[in-house]
Amino acid sequence: MKKIFKISIPVLVIGLLCIMGYNIVSKIDHKKEVAENIKTIPNFSYKDINGDMFSNENLKNNTPILFIYFNSECEFCNNEATLIKENIVAFKETRIIFISFEKPGAIKFFAQKHNLLKYDNIHFIHDTKADFATTFDVKSLPSLILYDKNQKLIERFKGQVKASTILKKLDGR
């Protein structure tokens, strides 16, 4: 009986280490794949809060793009929207896309609350399948993904970011 324990415990430990190693390598590979896929804006297609389709085709060429993944009940997301509104003049040449997995009504209420619906460069998108988070490897709210005018990734931000930081990144400083 002792011989069985002496053999089975090391086998179990080695098996668990192999499983853990496989999981770690899989996560690293996934992160590398996501990083490669989002170097430029990947193809996407979502509905806006009016039910119209919004995709890559709606993006203007030679315009920086800022994706903001948010939730209307998130305090930091609300603060981020306030910072965007306070600096709206500085962002006039940037296409800003707020995207959430919430229902369109909640997203629209958020947009109205922050008085952001009247700007042509700001869009509110409904991610019905919650695949934006998977595509961009988003795990926190808010998350911001910033692209330059050539649709090349500048930076991904996790959490609330000062408008001045975003604008400096856009200017290349």
Side-chain angles (χ1 to χ4, degrees), residues 13-72:
V13 169
I14 290 171
L16 288 172
L17 289 173
C18 288
I19 291 170
M20 287 173 42
Y22 174 78
N23 286 338
I24 290 169
V25 168
S26 294
K27 285 181 183 180
I28 290 170
D29 287 345
H30 173 72
K31 286 203 176 280
K32 285 180 184 176
E33 183 180 331
V34 167
E36 187 63 34
N37 290 340
I38 65 170
K39 281 185 178 179
T40 59
I41 299 175
N43 289 331
F44 68 87
S45 181
Y46 301 107
K47 287 191 176 182
D48 67 16
I49 55 176
N50 298 318
D52 299 324
M53 291 308 293
F54 189 91
S55 69
N56 296 64
E57 294 175 12
N58 297 96
L59 301 178
K60 290 182 181 178
N61 290 330
N62 297 318
T63 304
I65 310 291
L66 175 62
F67 289 99
I68 302 174
Y69 196 64
F70 76 100
N71 182 293
S72 64

Side-chain angles (χ1 to χ4, degrees), residues 83-144:
L83 292 173
I84 295 293
K85 173 66 172 142
E86 289 172 354
N87 293 277
I88 198 66
V89 172
F91 283 110
K92 69 180 177 192
E93 299 298 323
T94 303
R95 181 70 54 119
I96 301 172
I97 302 166
F98 283 87
I99 186 162
S100 177
F101 55 84
E102 296 178 288
K103 293 184 179 180
I107 298 170
K108 191 169 188 173
F109 180 77
F110 176 88
Q112 290 169 335
K113 173 181 166 184
H114 293 285
N115 199 21
L116 292 169
L117 285 176
K118 64 183 177 182
Y119 300 100
D120 292 336
N121 64 320
I122 299 180
H123 305 277
F124 288 87
I125 308 300
H126 175 217
D127 180 11
T128 56
K129 298 177 185 174
D131 61 350
F132 183 88
T134 304
T135 302
F136 289 87
D137 194 30
V138 172
K139 291 184 173 55
S140 62
L141 294 171
S143 284
L144 292 79

